[in-house]
Amino acid sequence: MSERVAALEQALALSPGSHPLRLLLVEALVAAGRESEALAHEEALLSAGALPRDGLLAAGERALRCGRSDLAASCLDAAEQAGVIDGVAA
């Protein structure tokens, strides 16, 4: 798996604006158990408006596990705006 991560990192270095490559790298990092590294890329995707709707809640959960409550809140806000959720019950 680390070979896949390394190859995707090299490809992303050549095309840093490629959201599809960044998404593939996120998947590979998560599969390799490297969630905190994946979060940095998810944060970049979220900032660019390129984090898919179906990945917003997973990214938010990952952010909470990694102690990034600020990013978790941003993911939750984006999920709500995208219609993925209708608010959160307390």
Side-chain angles (χ1 to χ4, degrees):
M1 183 59 68
S2 62
E3 289 178 14
R4 181 171 187 236
V5 169
L8 287 167
E9 287 174 334
Q10 288 176 350
L12 190 60
L14 295 172
S15 299
S18 174
H19 300 313
L21 273 177
R22 195 172 297 276
L23 284 168
L24 288 172
L25 179 55
V26 166
E27 291 174 7
L29 288 167
V30 169
R34 295 164 58 179
E35 288 193 331
S36 61
E37 292 174 65
L39 266 183
H41 295 286
E42 287 175 312
E43 187 170 22
L45 289 165
L46 182 64
S47 294
L51 189 59
R53 289 173 42 133
D54 62 351
L56 290 168
L57 294 179
E61 290 172 354
R62 223 177 334 278
L64 285 175
R65 283 194 298 275
C66 292
R68 290 286 314 275
S69 58
D70 60 321
L71 181 55
S74 295
C75 290
L76 183 61
D77 289 343
E80 191 170 15
Q81 290 174 1
V84 175
I85 57 171
D86 291 324
V88 177

